[in-house]
Amino acid sequence: MATVGLTTSLPALSQSSGVLNLYSARHYQTDEALYADFTKQTGIKINRIEADDNALYERLRSEGKNSSADVILMVDAARLWRAEIDGLFQPVKSKVLETRIPKNLRSNDAGQGSQWFGFSTRARVIVYNKATVKASDVDTYEKLADPVNKGKVCTRSGSHPYMLSLIGAMYERSGEAATEAWAKGMVANMARAPKGGDTDQIKGVASGECGVALTNSYYLARLMRSDKPADQQVVSKIGLIWPNQASSGAHMNVAGGAVAKNAPNKAAAIKFLEYLASDSAQQYFADGNNEWPAVKSVKTNNPALNKWGSFKEENISIAAIGKNQIYAQKILDRVSYK
């Protein structure tokens, strides 16, 4: 199973019933076991190309009808929605997927089938410095924009899809005026200009550069499971908040997959998506990359996830969150949230 970077010169990918051409934005070493298990079960070889979502999106657009892609894996609702709207996916009718993947974790079905399916979920959580911040001051997303947190807030770029999805959910829940007021308050409360990834936000909180930050849950779980003393020191200095537990619940996002519009191996592609909804694949997502299974009946053996236990999840359609990214970006532009 070769992994090929999109910046290199690519050979022609195979097109046969025993081959699956996978474009993946997932860069997790633990997924190797996932792909090997699929090949072992089906005999279908996976040719894999990895890059970030934007690079995959642009490649699919440029290849058009000549694309060899069968399946596309992406890691955010905003990106999945964008690719769907631009006609890069095709609808899939599958009893397996419709039965196992909850309706709110897949795209809308106009009668021909959903165009993408979420296979794992992650929460957008709040981390705070236990020495300088009170948990009660930061226990909701809305409170991060309160004046009490002026000079304390750190985030990655507002235009990053993780943030666009969070703001898209807020837009769906609270409307445009309230969401814009929140974004304006966030800008006023920044400890520094938005930069870095989620792990950088966590480390910024631990170092005291930031008082509070947002992160996807699996980044924190990685640090919790690390055997490096430096990572354990970071974890010891921060507190974790499951946001909005008395109201709307923690914002949830997905990593998901779709069959490419011009998939040459469509049957194999659908078989792969159905495999991703199986108990074994769902356990790989949870235990290997600290994500929750989309199939709620699947039990996990992940010590970090098990330690966290249950919490109230936001109940908003992932498809609606993706759609709202357009409004989210306009709000960010108006308030100069970089």
Side-chain angles (χ1 to χ4, degrees), residues 217 221 285-287 290-293 300 302-310:
S217 51
F285 283 128
D287 300 334
N290 308 301
E291 301 168 275
W292 285 279
T300 70
N302 184 307
L305 300 186
N306 293 344
K307 181 179 180 179
W308 285 339
S310 61

Side-chain angles (χ1 to χ4, degrees), residues 155-160 163 187 190 193-195 329 332-333 335-338:
T155 73
R156 67 193 306 161
S157 168
S159 294
H160 189 277
M163 290 299 296
V187 172
M190 292 291 181
K195 65 177 183 178
Q329 186 62 64
L332 292 170
D333 292 342
V335 304
S336 298
Y337 193 139
K338 302 301 182 182

Side-chain angles (χ1 to χ4, degrees), residues 1 16 21 29 95 110 151 163 170 193 200 214-215 228 234 239 261 299 307 322 324 326:
M1 298 184 296
S16 72
N21 299 321
Q29 289 185 348
K95 291 286 187 182
M163 290 299 296
M170 188 172 290
D200 297 311
L214 291 160
T215 179
K228 297 179 180 178
V234 167
K261 175 69 176 294
K299 303 299 181 184
K307 181 179 180 179
N324 289 344
I326 296 173

Side-chain angles (χ1 to χ4, degrees), residues 100-101 119 275-287 291-302 305-306:
R100 292 182 65 81
I101 304 300
F119 293 107
Y275 164 77
L276 294 182
S278 69
D279 283 3
S280 60
Q282 290 285 293
Q283 287 167 352
Y284 277 124
F285 283 128
D287 300 334
E291 301 168 275
W292 285 279
V295 180
K296 297 302 182 183
S297 61
V298 173
K299 303 299 181 184
T300 70
N301 295 313
N302 184 307
L305 300 186
N306 293 344

Side-chain angles (χ1 to χ4, degrees), residues 29 62 73 265 287:
Q29 289 185 348
S62 65
L73 297 182
N265 304 300
D287 300 334

Side-chain angles (χ1 to χ4, degrees), residues 215-230:
T215 179
N216 273 0
S217 51
Y218 66 93
Y219 290 98
L220 180 56
R222 284 181 192 170
L223 293 174
M224 291 172 62
R225 298 181 70 183
S226 171
D227 57 5
K228 297 179 180 178

Side-chain angles (χ1 to χ4, degrees), residues 12-34:
L13 294 179
S14 301
Q15 299 183 18
S16 72
S17 59
V19 167
L20 176 77
N21 299 321
L22 173 64
Y23 284 20
S24 177
R26 293 177 62 90
H27 310 302
Y28 316 129
Q29 289 185 348
T30 51
D31 285 354
E32 295 286 349
L34 189 76

